[in-house]
Amino acid sequence: MCLPPSLRPTTAPTNANEPANTSRERENPGGSSDLPGYETQAGYLDAFAGAMSATAQGVGLVRDRTPRFEGWNLAPLAGVPIVGLGFVGRFNRISDTWGDSAGILHGVLDADSSKITRSAQNYRNAESPGGDN
């Protein structure tokens, strides 16, 4: 599918063990031609990249909404002994670690989704020989 029509074979080779009425469609349900070789549907790549991008946005929201104990929400702990403040520090460290991890995951998902989108566009460009290659 990536070759221009002038370079494509005119007949598809057949396997001697394969019956004549067998369709190659069963072997390659996502493909669009009867030619052997590597083919891809760029729409599937775009859908996967979209799912990765949406997941990156969700992870980014989780990172932004990770709870922390700050000065304004420590009022309920005013009567708690000093031992309780150790819990607050530990909770904030866990929260910071989670926020940092979610930030890393957000960055990876976002960057990889853009790479997959670019690869889908490369496949589209390769399929159109007269286009912008």
Side-chain angles (χ1 to χ4, degrees):
M1 184 147 211
C2 293
L3 294 175
S6 62
L7 297 177
R8 292 184 183 174
T10 55
T11 60
T14 59
N15 188 352
N17 298 333
E18 184 177 50
N21 61 358
T22 300
S23 170
R24 287 199 184 265
E25 186 116 345
R26 280 184 250 141
E27 292 177 16
N28 189 8
S32 59
S33 75
D34 198 25
L35 299 172
Y38 182 78
E39 294 187 11
T40 186
Q41 295 282 331
Y44 293 135
L45 293 174
D46 285 330
F48 185 67
M52 287 179 70
S53 179
T55 303
Q57 290 174 357
V59 170
L61 285 174
V62 169
R63 178 194 61 194
D64 295 339
R65 295 179 180 168
T66 302
R68 285 185 48 90
F69 282 114
E70 301 293 336
W72 63 270
N73 58 4
L74 286 176
L77 298 175
V80 177
I82 197 74
V83 176
L85 294 178
F87 166 76
V88 170
R90 192 172 341 169
F91 181 82
N92 283 344
R93 280 193 301 275
I94 292 170
S95 182
D96 291 341
T97 302
W98 169 250
D100 292 345
S101 300
I104 292 168
L105 182 60
H106 169 74
V108 167
L109 286 171
D110 198 34
D112 286 353
S113 69
S114 64
K115 289 176 187 176
I116 292 174
T117 301
R118 281 194 311 264
S119 70
Q121 187 58 43
N122 288 340
Y123 281 116
R124 281 191 196 91
N125 291 342
E127 288 175 359
S128 61
D132 300 331
N133 287 336

